[in-house]
């Protein structure tokens, strides 16, 4: 039961078909303008004929003067109840918004503006194969755009209609509106579905409408971190204060369909860290084993390193011989000790090079030349590099 009418559940007496009967209240039945709005709702819904909009298939008047019309029975739950029960999944919210946008686009093509879009006017009906179908209903304040007749009652310009939580700025000003006012309400509803709260909140309807008129809407991504940037931009466009700045319903449906495809696409598997950990462990084991092997043969290791230092005056051929000799030392053999040398006998000196050779050697290895040759003749990289 609402302020304008009461809805009854009914069963056809012959074919057992269930239906919903919306009967106008007795007090409003005396108001010509209210009756005209009631008839306009039935006419508006009947001309759309869309699977996401409730079907109206009969209209009449009771003996006491009350008007009524018959609608299909929707066995489901309203979106408002669903939002009170739990938080919606992102793809679930996008699926509902996509269906509602499709229904609104069909209504606008038929010349009908809903003007009171909100979760209470969307029913979610379970489907046999899984999922839910969103059904739009309650066109009680709908406007027919192409009738050419002036609106009656509270639907004329200068009179505010709609629900303050979802009202568009131009609707709050009481101006003549078009289909873009439904686009704004869809943006408010989409924000509520993905963020779990309304974009604007106030203690009274007047302050709430002022917020819709003047305050910029909050960012959906800031309210609920992790939302796709495309969705944040879409909601910001839907909630544009200027009607001409809002996207069309076709653009809304295309954007939502793209986001749903992205959510359904399989994501690439992350590279596991286990192979890298195993490789690091294997390298560490190799280094440890090499260190153990080097520490196990200290004498031969020192001999190999000492063999890489080249004394001055040795040729490359001599160096190669020295390296090979020290890198593969011959096994030690027992030999007789040298006979003792008398103390007073001076040790025999090896004959030195001729005087001319000594002068050449001295000139070549003087400090003036040694500074240029020290890196080449004196040192060799012990790890096998070139001088």
């Amino acid at each position: 039961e609402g302020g304008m009418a009461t809805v009854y559940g009914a069963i056809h007496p012959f074919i057992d078909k269930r239906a919903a009967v919306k009967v106008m209240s007795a007090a409003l039945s005396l108001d010509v303008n209210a009756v005209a709005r009631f008839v306009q709702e039935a006419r508006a819904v009947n001309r759309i004929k869309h699977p996401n909009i409730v079907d109206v298939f009969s209209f009449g008047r009771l003996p006491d003067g009350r008007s009524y019309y018959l609608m299909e029975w929707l066995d489901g739950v309203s979106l408002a109840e669903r939002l009170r029960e739990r938080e919606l999944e992102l793809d679930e919210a996008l699926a509902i918004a996509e269906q509602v946008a499709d229904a609104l686009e069909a209504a606008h093509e038929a010349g009908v503006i809903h003007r009171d879009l909100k979760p209470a006017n969307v029913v979610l009906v379970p489907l046999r194969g899984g999922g839910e179908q969103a059904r739009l209903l309650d066109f009680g304040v709908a406007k027919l755009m192409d009738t050419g007749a002036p609106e009656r009652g509270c639907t004329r310009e200068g009179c505010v209609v709609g629900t303050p939580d979802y009202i568009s700025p131009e609707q709050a000003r009481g101006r003549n509106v078009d289909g873009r006012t439904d686009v704004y309400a869809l943006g408010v509803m989409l924000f509520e579905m993905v963020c779990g709260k309304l974009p604007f909140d106030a203690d009274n309807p007047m302050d709430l409408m002022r917020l819709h008129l003047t305050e910029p809407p909050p960012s959906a991504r800031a309210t609920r971190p992790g939302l796709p940037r495309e969705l944040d931009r879409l909601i910001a466009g839907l909630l544009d204060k200027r009607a001409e700045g809002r996207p069309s319903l076709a653009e809304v449906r295309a954007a939502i369909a793209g986001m749903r495809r992205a959510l359904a696409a399989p994501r690439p598997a992350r590279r596991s860290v286990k192979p890298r950990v195993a490789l690091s462990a294997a390298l560490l084991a190799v280094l440890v084993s090499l260190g153990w092997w080097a520490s196990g043969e200290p004498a031969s290791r020192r001999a190999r390193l000492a063999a890489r230092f080249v004394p001055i005056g040795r040729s490359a051929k001599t160096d190669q011989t020295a390296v090979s000799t020290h890198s593969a030392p011959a096994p030690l053999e027992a030999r007789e000790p040298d006979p003792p040398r008398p103390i007073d006998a001076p040790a025999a000196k090896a004959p030195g090079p001729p005087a001319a050779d000594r002068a050449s050697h001295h000139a070549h290895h003087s400090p003036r030349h040694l500074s240029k040759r020290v890196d080449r003749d004196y040192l060799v990289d012990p790890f096998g590099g070139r001088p």
Side-chain angles (χ1 to χ4, degrees):
E1 185 174 2
M4 184 177 181
T6 302
V7 180
Y8 297 89
I11 301 177
H12 195 281
F14 298 109
I15 60 176
D16 291 336
K17 179 180 177 64
R18 300 190 69 179
V21 184
K22 187 170 185 177
V23 182
M24 193 173 184
S25 66
L28 288 179
S29 296
L30 302 177
D31 186 346
V32 177
N33 292 328
V35 173
R37 287 180 56 194
F38 190 80
V39 175
Q40 177 177 286
E41 178 186 6
R43 185 183 300 140
V45 175
N46 187 58
R47 67 188 297 179
I48 300 171
K49 301 185 185 303
H50 189 272
N52 290 111
I53 296 178
V54 65
D55 184 31
V56 174
F57 54 86
S58 184
F59 179 85
R61 186 182 299 271
L62 296 176
D64 60 3
R66 292 180 295 165
S67 299
Y68 71 90
Y69 60 77
L70 273 67
M71 302 177 291
E72 62 176 321
W73 178 269
L74 300 178
D75 192 5
V77 60
S78 72
L79 178 57
E81 296 177 59
R82 176 65 54 80
L83 291 174
R84 286 193 293 267
E85 292 173 357
R86 61 175 176 84
E87 183 178 340
L88 300 184
E89 298 291 337
L90 181 57
D91 185 67
E92 181 184 10
L94 291 176
I96 295 172
E98 185 178 13
Q99 295 181 64
V100 173
D102 194 20
L104 289 174
E105 188 176 14
H108 296 172
E109 291 174 354
V112 179
I113 309 171
H114 193 285
R115 297 200 296 185
D116 195 21
L117 179 63
K118 55 186 176 182
N121 289 337
V122 177
V123 177
L124 306 176
V125 181
L127 299 176
R128 181 179 179 184
E132 292 176 320
Q133 184 183 39
R135 306 295 296 275
L136 185 58
L137 66 155
D138 199 358
F139 284 75
V141 294
K143 174 187 176 183
L144 300 180
M145 293 186 291
D146 58 353
T147 58
E151 297 183 71
R152 299 179 180 180
C154 289
T155 59
R156 65 182 182 273
E157 185 173 355
C159 183
V160 177
V161 295
T163 303
D165 287 325
Y166 307 89
I167 199 168
S168 67
E170 62 271 20
Q171 196 174 3
R173 292 187 176 96
R175 294 179 179 175
N176 198 11
V177 299
D178 54 22
R180 292 172 294 187
T181 194
D182 289 339
V183 175
Y184 184 91
L186 177 62
V188 178
M189 199 168 70
L190 182 56
F191 186 100
E192 183 180 10
M193 286 192 290
V194 300
C195 297
K197 58 183 292 188
L198 289 165
F200 300 111
D201 190 17
D203 296 333
N204 58 79
M206 294 302 296
D207 288 342
L208 191 54
M209 287 191 290
R210 180 185 58 81
L211 294 176
H212 282 285
L213 283 167
T214 60
E215 291 297 318
S219 167
R221 187 178 173 87
T223 306
R224 180 181 172 182
L227 290 177
R229 296 185 185 276
E230 296 81 4
L231 179 58
D232 191 30
R233 288 193 292 266
L234 175 62
I235 294 177
L238 293 171
L239 296 180
D240 197 316
K241 302 296 183 185
R242 302 168 297 110
E244 61 273 13
R246 299 166 201 157
S248 66
L249 288 168
E251 294 171 336
V252 173
R253 291 194 300 106
I256 294 177
M259 285 184 281
R260 294 190 66 196
R261 285 193 300 269
L263 290 174
R267 298 184 179 181
R270 290 186 175 181
R271 296 180 62 184
S272 175
V273 298
K274 293 183 179 179
R276 286 182 285 179
V277 173
L279 179 60
S280 301
L283 290 175
L284 181 61
V286 170
L287 294 175
V288 170
S289 63
L290 288 176
W292 174 84
W293 175 79
S295 63
E297 294 181 347
S300 60
R301 183 169 179 268
R302 286 198 301 270
R304 287 195 302 273
L305 293 177
R308 295 183 183 274
F309 288 92
V310 182
I312 297 175
R314 285 194 178 183
S315 63
K317 184 175 181 180
T318 306
D319 297 342
Q320 296 292 337
T321 305
V323 170
S324 61
T325 302
H326 286 286
S327 60
L332 298 177
E333 297 180 357
R335 63 179 181 178
E336 295 182 0
D338 295 334
R341 181 169 50 85
I343 297 176
D344 55 347
K349 292 184 179 180
D357 294 342
R358 286 199 302 271
S360 174
H361 178 79
H362 176 73
H364 184 70
H365 293 285
S366 62
R368 183 182 61 182
H369 296 282
L370 187 59
S371 62
K372 298 179 181 180
R373 296 174 53 83
V374 63
D375 292 338
R376 185 183 65 185
D377 293 341
Y378 225 106
L379 298 177
V380 175
D381 183 5
F383 298 99
R386 297 186 62 183

